[in-house]
Amino acid sequence: MGIEILEFDREHAVARMPVEGNTQPLGLLHGGAYCVLGESLGSMHANYLAGEGRFAVGVDINATHTGSATSGWVTGVCRPIHVGKSLTVHEIAVTDEGGRRCSTIRITNMIRQAKN
């Protein structure tokens, strides 16, 4: 997929992904590619926030595509909108190189205790 992590801290995670190589037959960035970028960011960030001895697993994801990237790169900015003891919810805004929002993804992760 060519995803590159650009920033990663407690408040947010940012990554970019090339459109080339991730398109559907009409030459638009594939809707599933937006979801891969969103789930990658949301799941990694949830695991980061889960803490030692705990891990996050995705239980729900949805995406609303409002634009179509056809070239260059898209950038996903992931921010937690809920961080609890058992669930996290993240929103990922994906924009094209012109700053136009192309997709909004929301992912919910369940926090689990690692088994010894």
Side-chain angles (χ1 to χ4, degrees), residues 7-114:
E7 298 176 38
F8 201 95
D9 59 32
R10 288 197 67 77
E11 286 74 41
H12 73 299
V14 181
R16 69 181 194 151
M17 178 178 66
V19 172
E20 186 177 342
N22 293 313
T23 58
Q24 43 95 310
L26 294 176
L28 309 173
L29 184 63
H30 195 290
Y34 286 113
C35 290
V36 168
L37 178 59
E39 184 157 5
S40 296
L41 281 169
S43 292
M44 286 188 298
H45 201 258
N47 273 285
Y48 176 74
L49 296 176
E52 190 173 334
R54 296 163 54 92
F55 65 96
V57 293
V59 295
D60 182 63
I61 187 166
N62 68 68
T64 302
H65 310 307
T66 53
S68 300
T70 57
S71 64
W73 292 76
V74 293
T75 301
V77 178
C78 171
R79 296 191 186 282
I81 55 177
H82 172 77
V83 179
K85 291 182 181 180
S86 61
L87 288 175
T88 64
V89 180
H90 286 79
E91 180 181 80
I92 301 91
V94 182
T95 57
D96 64 14
E97 288 183 331
R100 181 176 61 115
R101 189 179 290 220
C102 295
S103 188
T104 303
I105 299 122
R106 191 190 74 206
I107 182 169
T108 303
N109 281 279
M110 180 185 299
I111 306 298
R112 306 288 308 262
Q113 189 68 38

